[in-house]
Amino acid sequence: MPTASLSPTFCLPSRRVIPSISPFLLSQRFQHCTPSPFFRNPRIRPPFASISVDAPNMATPQPAFLDHKESGFLRFVKYHGLGNDFIMVDNRESNEPRVTPEQAMRICNRNFGVGADGVIFVLPGLNDTDYTMRIFNSDGSEPEMCGNGVRCFARFVAELDNLDGIQRFRIHTGAGLIIPEIQNDGKVRVDMGQPILFASDVPTKLAANHNGAVVRSEILVDGIGWNVTCVSMGNPHCVTFSTKHGEALQVDDIKLEEVGPKFEHHEMFPSRTNTEFVQVFSRSHLKTRVWERGAGATLACGTGACAVVVAAVLEGHAERICTVDLPGGPLEIEWREEDNHVYMTGPAEKVFYGSIPL
């Protein structure tokens, strides 16, 4: 595939119909400048690069594209789970990620990089697992786990190993063992393990009020009292269904960009927190918007959807099997009483293949 010098190259997966168009070149220059408070993340310094986009070579098997090694270039596949998008990197030859957190920030930049909520690495398995999953968020931080990301991880691994049909993997993550299973319909069902509810383990400094857990406790954010329940799915979540005055949330009215960061960096959450604002439609149907720690407002959050159902059951809003609507689409969540595990089922879709200079 022809590429311009030092040019990230992208090609759509072969399942898409590509119109006959000429490749185009978009060049953007970068100058060092003083960070401005008006930028969302002033630490991101866009790389000096040009971007070329080419129609894919349909005769070339796509795994061969990933197998081709180029010094100074990173080859990747972009996936998304309900709009929560990730740069997937084959990292099986090393136990260390191929890019640094700083490089991941540049790659994730939606104006000067590829654009993504995070970079996910497929590393060799540890402790009798098949693979290890690590992820750098778009702000360079490293979360313990990512629910939408692990579904993309499973589909990506199946592509790397040319596997079809039902497939099940044991994945080592910072949140422990996670087991995704690819279904016949292409969706991925993930055993997310048991929710962590003890306040000190979430972690939160809010006082426990329900058998060691924080359930419908008050927190003050920007002068407003909120009822919150704290859950960890290997990463911390703060879930709210109402304000202290009992006003049920209409989640589309939430000014997420304003209130989300104040929850994330609240002093009651020593490791920061993901925050879910939830609207209850019925005992089996919930709607949520998410502010993700390290990524901001995203179209979907798998661990967040799991935390929402756990919190809804604890607060008496819902049954243990729910559809959770997120901006990017629905997830099916089950909190099983018999084993205390949370199961998440949803899609993971391939977007395009590409390479970018490091």
Side-chain angles (χ1 to χ4, degrees):
M1 181 184 300
T3 62
S5 177
L6 295 181
S7 301
T9 303
F10 311 102
C11 60
L12 298 171
S14 57
R15 61 182 175 83
R16 295 181 182 267
V17 177
I18 307 298
S20 178
I21 57 174
S22 299
F24 64 91
L25 181 67
L26 170 64
S27 298
Q28 296 171 311
R29 292 188 178 274
F30 162 67
Q31 301 178 31
H32 289 284
C33 58
T34 303
S36 166
F38 296 105
F39 289 114
R40 179 175 177 181
N41 193 335
R43 291 185 298 158
I44 297 177
R45 292 185 175 181
F48 174 63
S50 60
I51 300 176
S52 64
V53 181
D54 296 299
N57 181 353
M58 300 300 184
T60 303
Q62 300 300 355
F65 174 84
L66 295 171
D67 288 341
H68 184 70
K69 306 299 182 184
E70 297 171 284
S71 178
F73 275 76
L74 178 74
R75 292 207 164 198
F76 63 86
V77 184
K78 185 173 180 178
Y79 274 78
H80 79 89
L82 299 179
N84 196 190
D85 54 346
F86 306 96
I87 304 303
M88 312 298 299
V89 178
D90 181 3
N91 210 120
R92 293 174 296 172
E93 296 179 355
S94 172
N95 289 314
E96 291 298 321
R98 291 186 58 194
V99 305
T100 66
E102 292 75 20
Q103 288 172 319
M105 289 169 61
R106 294 182 172 89
I107 294 171
C108 289
N109 186 286
R110 296 189 184 278
N111 298 108
F112 296 96
V114 177
D117 292 319
V119 181
I120 294 178
F121 307 90
V122 178
L123 294 96
L126 297 173
N127 303 326
D128 296 321
T129 59
D130 300 311
Y131 304 96
T132 295
M133 170 180 163
R134 289 183 64 182
I135 175 172
F136 291 150
N137 283 326
S138 57
D139 73 346
S141 62
E142 181 173 1
E144 300 86 350
M145 230 289 288
C146 175
N148 289 314
V150 79
R151 297 200 314 277
C152 295
F153 187 102
R155 292 290 301 271
F156 182 49
V157 164
E159 178 181 6
L160 290 175
D161 290 337
N162 198 27
L163 302 175
D164 294 318
I166 296 176
Q167 302 294 332
R168 192 169 183 265
F169 308 105
R170 292 169 55 84
I171 310 299
H172 176 80
T173 75
L177 176 66
I178 300 293
I179 304 176
E181 181 177 274
I182 301 174
Q183 308 292 293
N184 277 326
D185 61 3
K187 290 184 178 180
V188 183
R189 181 174 177 270
V190 186
D191 179 351
M192 301 288 286
Q194 300 186 26
I196 298 166
L197 299 176
F198 281 102
S200 59
D201 295 332
V202 171
T204 178
K205 295 180 180 178
L206 290 169
N209 61 357
H210 184 85
N211 298 323
V214 174
V215 178
R216 199 176 168 82
S217 182
E218 182 181 6
I219 187 173
L220 195 66
V221 178
D222 203 23
I224 299 174
W226 300 78
N227 295 316
V228 301
T229 294
C230 297
V231 179
S232 173
M233 293 303 306
N235 55 353
H237 292 268
C238 173
V239 184
T240 179
F241 299 85
S242 63
T243 63
K244 188 60 180 176
H245 296 298
E247 300 165 346
L249 299 185
Q250 301 294 314
V251 296
D252 290 337
D253 295 336
I254 298 292
K255 297 179 179 178
L256 201 57
E257 295 286 347
E258 293 181 14
V259 71
K262 294 174 182 178
F263 271 92
E264 177 182 354
H265 297 281
H266 198 284
E267 62 182 357
M268 289 293 103
F269 304 109
S271 298
R272 299 189 291 162
T273 190
N274 303 279
T275 308
E276 287 76 37
F277 301 88
V278 190
Q279 185 172 344
V280 179
F281 290 142
S282 73
R283 295 188 64 80
S284 61
H285 188 190
L286 309 171
K287 180 179 181 178
T288 187
R289 292 177 66 200
V290 183
W291 182 267
E292 288 199 51
R293 178 187 61 167
T298 59
L299 295 178
C301 177
T303 57
C306 294
V308 161
V309 172
V310 171
V313 171
L314 292 174
E315 290 198 21
H317 299 299
E319 305 298 334
R320 287 176 172 263
I321 300 177
C322 288
T323 297
V324 180
D325 289 341
L326 300 117
L331 287 173
E332 302 301 321
I333 308 296
E334 178 182 4
W335 184 19
R336 284 190 184 171
E337 193 167 9
E338 54 264 36
D339 63 5
N340 197 37
H341 283 222
V342 181
Y343 295 84
M344 169 190 64
T345 303
E349 300 288 340
K350 183 162 47 185
V351 183
F352 60 77
Y353 300 82
S355 64
I356 190 168
L358 297 176

